[in-house]
Amino acid sequence: MHRLSPLPVPPPGDPGAVESPAVRLFRDRASRATGGTPVGNDRPAGNAALEQVVEVCRSLDGLPLALELAAAWLPAVGLAGLRERLDQRLDIGPSRSSDDDRHRTLRRTIAWSYDLLTPDEQRLFRYLCVVHDRFEVELAEHMAAASDVGDHPSAVVARLVDCSMLVADSAAARPAVRVLESVRAYGLERLEAHGEGAAAGQALCTWVLHLVERAAVGITGPDEPAWDRRLVWTLPTLRAARRVMLAGGDVAGAARLSALLGDFALWREHSELWAWALETAELPGLDDTPDAVPALAAAASGAWRLGLRSKAKALVARVRRLAADDDDLTAGELVHGVLELFDGRFDDAERAVLTARGGAAQTAEAVATAALSAGYSGRRAEAMRRLDTAEQLAASGSPTQHAYVAYVRGEVLALDASPEATAHLRRSVDLARLSGASFVEQVAGLTLATSAARAGDVEGAVESYRAAVDHWRRTGSWTQQWTTLRNVAALLAGEGLTEQALTLVVAADAAPDASALAPGAAAAQARLVDQPRTDVVEGALAALDQLYPGGPSDG
């Protein structure tokens, strides 16, 4: 939180009082509150109203938030009434300058504003203080209904905005409000004093889970881009709800949240949501909750993407133990199939993903992944047939599903250096950008870079690889990072930089979070590894021994 310094306040009788920063702020906010009516005119001599404004500013030590709160009450109490009430509530004495004294003045102002609210308004204000940062007006209205403020909850929300206990966020993508941190701290104290913390937290969690349930359906269809933007925007509120769940021991709620956000996190490389899922997987009692299986599958996906392959496999094993039927197994088998794919067991990968049973979107993903396995194992025609099926399944689905199918088609075609690959890969990138699916955008872009390198566009490939390396570093996706670095090694070898290429190859081979290679790529890199190793390469290997002591592990 950034603390605003007090604004300069003019002394009594100052002829330039109207230009004082504190007076200007108060008059501006007062004019807004009263619909444009000026408060205190510009003639200092004999202007009693202006003197009253100066006294208000002085009594509030020029504190910006205190001035805003006081100005918001002018329509209700008038300038003279405001001055009188401040005298009654605040300790107006000798000039105060310490931060502690200013804090006490601000606290009294907030308490004074709070006391002027009706009981319904006070209760809603207290409930809203459980939410951090800005949040949707829809949530504020839900909290109003949950706090039983009467028949017109939206009117109570509007009243809190009018008196500055809530601040409208006009720059937000959706109608939004927020509680300023100083005001919120006071509200949380009052919430605790009234014993309402559990009820307010439960109301917040109920709204968040309902929103995420709708989003989990919405991102599988054509409205995915809108739901993507909304979830990204709502992330601070999701954080607040999860904190409430964990503090209250609501393991079932935390599991449901991670389960519903699993696909969103996977395609968008959301490392924070992966961390939530992995943390949830370790909560005592998780396996007894209704959403244990999808929550563990979400954690397995996050572990795989973070390069924690052994962790991912252990989580998939838990899913299999807990799964009550084939529907329960679906998400786990998709992750299991991808792990087999990255381990180079392409036939096993196909079998795993094709056992998955879900909606059209999930089935399209499974069939496209099976096509990728077939392509890597040399069965290109079969891969194309599977992709035709995946495309039909994704026909009414999300842009991400279309992007993934287009990527796999481009990837399989690029294995044979087909000139048709580029168009599919570019389409994949465009669709992925539309939906926010950064993972698909990056892997499709990586194949485009490799194709460019093969076609002789070394400069373009280098720029793309540099961007990809930086992206995987930011997201922590080490499995993808090693794949990228192996492609960089092939480029370096083609340019005669054998020593640098060899360093990358041996590093990737030693890294436990690197994926296996398709047969063609493996043969090419095997020839490179057969090159004589220089002191530089041996030094790199020694550094890797320190990074992975005792041999490959999840590190």
Side-chain angles (χ1 to χ4, degrees), residues 251-534:
V251 179
R256 183 145 187 79
L257 186 63
S258 284
L260 291 168
L261 290 170
D263 280 349
F264 175 80
L266 175 67
W267 295 113
R268 287 151 188 86
E269 306 175 284
H270 210 301
S271 55
E272 180 181 4
L273 300 186
W274 293 341
W276 290 5
L278 287 165
E279 183 180 9
T280 299
E282 301 302 322
L283 292 177
L286 172 74
D287 290 1
D288 297 323
T289 64
D291 292 288
V293 166
L296 289 169
S301 293
W304 153 55
R305 296 296 301 283
L306 291 168
L308 304 173
R309 304 269 279 285
S310 295
K311 180 72 171 177
K313 291 174 182 178
L315 288 165
V316 168
R318 279 178 71 185
V319 169
R320 286 176 160 176
R321 287 197 302 272
L322 293 172
D325 52 37
D326 288 345
D327 288 340
D328 271 356
L329 276 173
T330 291
E333 288 307 293
L334 282 172
V335 182
H336 173 59
V338 171
L339 290 169
E340 295 290 275
L341 176 69
F342 276 76
D343 281 344
R345 291 187 285 272
F346 303 124
D347 292 344
D348 293 340
E350 279 186 77
R351 280 192 292 271
V353 297
L354 291 177
T355 61
R357 295 288 183 269
Q362 232 172 9
T363 307
E365 177 189 345
V367 173
T369 302
L372 190 58
S373 295
Y376 285 154
S377 60
R379 292 174 283 119
R380 311 286 202 262
E382 182 180 342
M384 289 300 165
R385 287 194 298 271
R386 291 199 186 283
L387 284 167
D388 290 340
T389 301
E391 206 162 87
Q392 292 170 4
L393 289 165
S396 59
S398 66
T400 291
Q401 293 302 327
H402 287 284
Y404 182 60
V405 174
Y407 154 68
V408 175
R409 193 179 292 275
E411 175 77 6
V412 172
L413 289 168
L415 293 172
D416 293 325
S418 169
E420 297 177 20
T422 298
H424 295 289
L425 292 167
R426 286 178 177 164
R427 178 170 178 266
S428 175
V429 168
D430 290 342
L431 287 168
R433 284 176 179 167
L434 173 68
S435 66
S438 59
F439 174 70
V440 183
E441 178 187 348
Q442 291 298 320
V443 293
L446 185 59
T447 305
L448 278 171
T450 302
S451 298
R454 289 172 181 164
D457 182 9
V458 174
E459 184 176 346
V462 167
E463 287 304 310
S464 296
Y465 285 145
R466 180 180 289 116
V469 167
D470 187 51
H471 177 84
W472 303 129
R473 179 184 56 80
R474 289 197 310 272
T475 59
S477 299
W478 272 100
T479 297
Q480 298 299 327
Q481 185 73 284
W482 287 118
T483 299
T484 302
L485 293 173
R486 277 179 164 148
N487 289 338
V488 171
L491 175 65
L492 293 173
E495 294 299 302
L497 300 171
T498 306
E499 183 175 287
Q500 292 88 335
L502 181 57
T503 301
L504 291 179
V505 170
V506 296
D509 286 345
D513 37 20
S515 62
L517 287 165
Q525 295 214 350
R527 290 192 294 272
L528 184 61
V529 173
D530 286 340
Q531 300 291 322
R533 296 184 177 181
T534 66

Side-chain angles (χ1 to χ4, degrees), residues 193-234:
H194 282 77
E196 298 167 329
Q202 183 57 53
L204 169 64
C205 294
T206 297
W207 184 86
V208 161
L209 287 175
H210 180 59
L211 171 72
V212 177
E213 284 167 1
R214 287 182 287 154
V217 175
I219 62 171
T220 66
D223 293 334
E224 179 190 24
W227 280 108
D228 169 72
R229 291 190 295 270
R230 188 170 184 184
L231 282 177
V232 169
W233 191 90
T234 314

Side-chain angles (χ1 to χ4, degrees), residues 25-26 29-30 33 56 60 63-77 82 86 90 105-114 116-117 125 159-167 178-184 186:
L25 175 64
F26 180 84
R29 299 304 187 262
V56 166
L60 297 176
L63 294 168
L65 176 56
L67 294 171
E68 296 221 19
L69 288 170
W73 285 102
L74 274 177
V77 301
L82 175 65
L86 285 174
L90 302 183
T105 298
L106 177 57
R107 179 182 174 80
R108 292 183 187 117
T109 308
I110 296 170
W112 170 79
S113 293
Y114 173 82
L116 291 176
L117 298 173
F125 165 70
R159 174 63 176 153
L160 291 178
V161 173
D162 286 344
C163 62
S164 293
M165 299 302 277
L166 283 181
V167 178
R178 60 193 175 97
V179 183
L180 297 177
E181 280 302 307
S182 296
V183 178
R184 182 174 169 274
Y186 178 82

